[in-house]
Amino acid sequence: MNYPNHDLELVVVVFALMIWRHYLCRARFEVFSDHKSLKYLFDHKELNMRQRRWMEFLKDYDLELLYHLSKANVVADALS
């Protein structure tokens, strides 16, 4: 509740990777998000401590964060 929106989107990615880590450890995969700021997260220089901790966690995975327009992501909207 106290997190900004971009942190909430990032914590969902981190939590999902914690659950699925056994399957994703040595695989290259893409993460689609409808939050555009996550696309530039790896290039951002000024991160808060929470984001730095999560970035250290994300560096263990071979992933690519991609922006996917929310209107085009009909399946995720139906699930939520």
Side-chain angles (χ1 to χ4, degrees):
M1 192 170 185
N2 295 330
Y3 291 1
N5 284 340
H6 56 276
D7 279 358
L8 288 174
E9 291 283 333
L10 184 59
V11 76
V12 168
V13 171
V14 169
F15 185 70
L17 290 177
M18 284 181 185
I19 293 173
W20 295 96
R21 70 179 175 268
H22 303 295
Y23 302 106
L24 300 173
C25 266
R26 296 185 179 144
R28 171 122 178 99
F29 58 95
E30 299 170 342
V31 177
F32 293 97
S33 174
D34 63 345
H35 206 269
K36 202 168 196 173
S37 68
L38 290 184
K39 182 178 175 182
Y40 306 107
L41 185 67
F42 291 106
D43 300 330
H44 197 63
K45 294 190 186 332
E46 296 180 18
L47 300 173
N48 60 30
M49 292 303 289
R50 183 183 315 126
Q51 291 170 342
R52 289 180 194 170
R53 184 176 66 243
W54 290 336
M55 289 302 292
E56 287 295 319
F57 177 77
L58 290 176
K59 287 183 181 180
D60 293 339
Y61 296 95
D62 189 15
L63 70 101
E64 184 177 358
L65 284 169
L66 299 172
Y67 173 68
H68 196 272
L69 188 63
S70 62
K71 291 181 181 178
N73 198 1
V74 178
V75 176
D77 289 338
L79 290 174
S80 57

